[in-house]
Structure formats: C-alpha cells, structure tokens
Amino acid sequence: MKCDSCGAPVENGKCTYCGKSFENSGSEKQFNETVRVNNTVNSYTQPQLQPKPKPKIPFWKKTWFVVLICVFMPYIGVFLLWAAKKPLNIFARIIITIVLVFYLKGVFASINEEESGNQNENKSVWSEYYTDIDDFEYYIDGNEIFLTDYNSNQKKVRINSSYEIDGNTYNVVSLDGVFTLDKVTSVIIPEGVRSVAANEFNGCKVKFLYLPSTLEDIGRDSFWGYFHDVEKIYYGGSEEQWNQLCTVERAEVEVKQIIYDANPDDLK
C-alpha cells in the first residue's frame, strides 16, 4: 500500500516518508484483496502455452523403409534415397547411389549372360538330355528293349543306349517305326542299336540324324527314300562301313552332308 499524500510505501499503518497514519479501515485489506483477485483473473485469462506437435513422417520417408527397399528393390531404392533425403548427408547419399547403380549393372549383366547362354543352348539342333523311356512305347525281350512308338511333343530326341526299368537295366537294340509320321527335327540313335524299320523316318521331316556304327539291318533300301531335305547325317562308323550299310547311290539319299566316324557326345 502507498501513501495517498506522498505516494511513499505504507508500513505498519504509517507512511514511511511523511509519517501519516492510516487506520486499518479496510483500505489495505481491500488493496490486498484486489491484488489477489487480479492475480486470480490473470491466471484464468492468460492461455496456457502448449508444445507444438511433431509433424508425422510418412512411412516411405522413414529410414527403415528406405533401407529395406534399397536391399530388396534397389532400382526403387535409388529414387527413395533422394525423395526421402535419406541419409541427410548428401555425400553419403551419392556414394550409396553409386554403389546401387553398379550393383544393378552387375545384376542385369548376369541376367543377360544367362539369357544369352540359354539362347545358345536352345540354338543347338541336338537334345542335351536323354529322352525318357516313358516317352516311348516298347516291349522287352530278355535284357533288350524294342522301341515301337514315340509319344512326346519334343522335337529333339536323344535315345539312351540303355534304360533302367523296375530296377533292371535293358539295352535298346531296335526301332520299329518309332518316328513314322512324328514331327521331329533331330534324332540320335545310340550305339548298340542293330536294326531300324524301313519306314522309320517316313513323314517325320527329320533334319539332323545320328546313326550308330552297330546298325546292321535297315529293313531294305527304301529306308533311304524317306529322307527329304535332310541337312546332315552323322555316322558312327567309317566310310567303308557306311558303303556296306547304304547300298544305294549317294545321289539317291537326299542329305546335304554325311559325316563319318562321328561321336554322339561331340554333337553340338
């Protein structure tokens, strides 16, 4: 409280400057009450300051998500690195981008090499694998198999010299019209086969053929008349053996080239 005459502070009911006395008539009490009320009003009227909420970060900008994409989908990860600005250090971002680019180049080069290898393999006119015995109809006599028909759509055929059936091994010795009217492009008849039917290649349009040196019986000379526009015949025996097997004139065999002393394992 202040003195209403000189404005000096009032202590113990008396002005500290001019000495004027003040009875405790309620003025000081009223003053104190006014101060208390004002303080109370101020406490209600002044708003409380609330902390600002942190902005929500989209999941695709979170570090864990960017790292995950870089590992499993690096081509998208490169984009996210810069869109999400992760890491914040631009030099670190550049280094990671370069690493991912070189990694992608290596992956694509490997894929192209594998596709090229598959294409080269597919360009081979010969089957890389032996044709399964289930692709043929056959009968067994003793320990020998006689093939009678071909039931697969595969155009490249490589007959194995023997097959295991029910735990027993049987040698392939004869073909009896197996490929008649079946469209095949290449056939390897294995060493050990002794006979083939005269109409074996009737209407099959074979282009590449391997005949074994063990072949003894081709039915009759009409066997050669069923070849049309054949590219190559590989024969496992010598030219002398061939002349004993093929008794017709060379001009009567429609094949561009006959190769003697051939090895079926060397055919590419």
Side-chain angles (χ1 to χ4, degrees), residues 19-52:
K20 183 177 178 178
S21 296
F22 292 88
E23 295 182 359
N24 192 10
S25 58
S27 299
E28 183 175 0
K29 183 178 180 181
Q30 184 178 0
F31 172 79
N32 292 335
E33 184 67 20
T34 299
V35 171
R36 186 185 65 80
V37 171
N38 287 339
N39 289 337
T40 303
V41 171
N42 288 338
S43 66
Y44 282 103
T45 57
Q46 291 182 357
Q48 297 287 334
L49 295 178
Q50 299 293 332
K52 292 183 179 180

Side-chain angles (χ1 to χ4, degrees), residues 132-140 145-152 174-178:
D132 196 277
I133 188 61
D134 292 333
D135 290 337
F136 299 102
E137 290 184 16
Y138 60 90
Y139 65 89
I140 296 174
I145 297 179
F146 296 76
L147 302 180
T148 59
D149 202 2
Y150 180 60
N151 299 321
S152 174
S174 175
L175 279 67
D176 187 7
V178 176

Side-chain angles (χ1 to χ4, degrees), residues 160-232:
N160 203 346
S161 59
S162 62
Y163 289 96
E164 184 174 329
I165 302 173
D166 297 330
N168 298 315
T169 301
Y170 301 92
N171 299 319
V172 178
V173 296
S174 175
L175 279 67
D176 187 7
V178 176
F179 300 109
T180 302
L181 302 180
D182 287 314
K183 305 302 181 184
V184 293
T185 56
S186 67
V187 176
I188 296 177
I189 300 176
E191 294 293 327
V193 171
R194 300 191 298 268
S195 66
V196 294
N199 66 337
E200 186 61 49
F201 296 101
N202 179 18
C204 77
K205 297 184 178 180
V206 66
K207 295 296 182 183
F208 299 88
L209 176 64
Y210 177 87
L211 296 175
S213 62
T214 55
L215 194 58
E216 300 171 355
D217 181 14
I218 55 174
R220 52 186 178 270
D221 287 344
S222 60
F223 174 84
W224 307 104
Y226 291 113
F227 291 111
H228 302 287
D229 299 321
V230 179
E231 293 290 331
K232 294 180 181 181

